[in-house]
Amino acid sequence: MIQPDMPTPPWERTRRRAAPSRIPLTRGRIVDAAFVVLDREGFDRLSMRRVAAELGVAVSALYAHVDNKDELFELMYERFFDGFDLPEPDPERWQEQVKDFARESRARLLAHRDMARISMGQMPFGPELLPYVEKMLALLRVGGLPDHVAAIAGDLLSTYVDGFVAEEGVWKERSQGEGVKSWDEMRDEMKEYFASLPPDRFPNMVAIADLMVDESNDYRFELGLDIIVRGLASYVEPRPGES
């Protein structure tokens, strides 16, 4: 066993050591590192310099693969769709298929801190994402939505999901600070405050106060989604032979 702090034997001084192998830097590795930084530091502290530090390379090395932070966000957004398979449009189930799309989108956004903020700044019209847009339009049109409604329905859904998840992230961040009250404490305070309001001036708030603060995020998301999809469905004209 070699003892520590011993001098190197002369016959080993000229022996060549194999250089450690270096993993090639690729766009995929850069995006992987960007997600690590995003989850740890959050959107506001995600930078090319921090991504480079995560990879153990000079920031200049990143620019051989990614032009700037905007392009990095685009690549992260494209990664968001990896494995996101939209179903074949079914005219009998299009409403549930739209809801499934929204549910899956929310789950994917929640998987990474502040991913909703990146998503809100992107447009899915690059070559990699156009097939998803095409399939979503097919899903909306097969249900009978008029073209002027189908044209903006996908954006409407994405805006709802992005905004909902972004708000979830804001409140999650707030609840993790030191000395911050728990949601249960805040809810009890709000219920107590609503109950103290003069019912002659605020009859509606007093009547439904519990429902305004007691429901879970999952419940609120599903209800909002149902409201949107029912609204879209109201534009569908009856098919020939249907009343």
Side-chain angles (χ1 to χ4, degrees):
M1 177 177 178
I2 299 176
Q3 298 298 317
D5 302 322
M6 291 292 290
T8 302
W11 53 86
E12 288 191 2
R13 289 176 188 164
T14 58
R15 185 177 296 169
R16 298 185 64 181
R17 304 291 183 185
S21 60
R22 298 190 58 167
I23 302 175
L25 194 60
T26 63
R27 279 189 164 197
R29 288 190 62 215
I30 292 170
V31 173
D32 289 341
F35 274 113
V36 171
V37 175
L38 180 69
D39 290 336
R40 185 178 63 234
E41 307 283 348
F43 177 85
D44 291 328
R45 293 175 62 82
L46 175 59
S47 67
M48 297 290 278
R49 190 169 299 279
R50 284 192 169 88
V51 173
E54 181 66 28
L55 289 164
V57 300
V59 68
S60 58
L62 300 187
Y63 292 109
H65 304 273
V66 180
D67 287 342
N68 48 43
K69 191 163 74 170
D70 288 339
E71 186 179 17
L72 178 60
F73 286 162
E74 291 175 13
L75 294 172
M76 295 174 75
Y77 185 62
E78 288 179 5
R79 175 73 65 83
F80 169 79
F81 285 89
D82 278 0
F84 200 147
D85 294 324
L86 291 175
E88 289 302 316
D90 183 345
E92 303 302 323
R93 296 190 64 254
W94 74 271
Q95 294 185 48
E96 192 60 30
Q97 288 180 322
V98 167
K99 289 182 179 181
D100 286 343
F101 163 79
R103 292 167 185 143
E104 176 70 9
S105 296
R106 179 182 176 226
R108 285 170 174 259
L109 291 173
L110 286 172
H112 292 288
R113 175 182 177 183
D114 289 343
M115 184 60 203
R117 293 180 63 183
I118 293 177
S119 179
M120 291 170 80
Q122 304 301 314
M123 293 187 294
F125 299 137
E128 298 291 330
L129 301 183
L130 282 180
Y132 295 96
V133 177
E134 174 64 22
K135 206 159 190 179
M136 172 55 71
L137 289 174
L139 193 157
L140 293 166
R141 296 182 76 207
V142 78
L145 287 181
D147 286 348
H148 74 281
V149 176
I152 66 167
D155 184 59
L156 174 67
L157 284 162
S158 295
T159 300
Y160 170 67
V161 177
D162 285 343
F164 193 97
V165 176
E167 185 180 45
E168 286 185 279
V170 168
W171 283 101
K172 183 178 180 180
E173 293 280 336
R174 287 184 181 180
S175 68
Q176 293 175 345
E178 291 186 12
V180 176
K181 295 177 182 177
S182 69
W183 167 244
D184 287 341
E185 292 173 315
M186 293 174 61
R187 179 186 58 201
D188 290 343
E189 285 185 354
M190 285 190 286
K191 289 171 70 173
E192 184 177 345
Y193 173 69
F194 291 149
S196 71
L197 293 173
D200 58 324
R201 292 178 58 197
F202 303 99
N204 296 298
M205 291 191 68
V206 172
I208 65 173
D210 287 352
L211 297 175
M212 292 171 64
V213 297
D214 261 355
E215 305 300 349
S216 68
N217 280 342
D218 290 344
Y219 173 87
R220 293 164 66 87
F221 180 81
E222 286 292 330
L223 181 58
L225 183 58
D226 192 56
I227 291 169
I228 292 172
V229 173
R230 286 194 191 194
L232 292 174
S234 70
Y235 285 90
V236 176
E237 296 291 340
R239 297 188 182 99
E242 293 181 345
S243 58

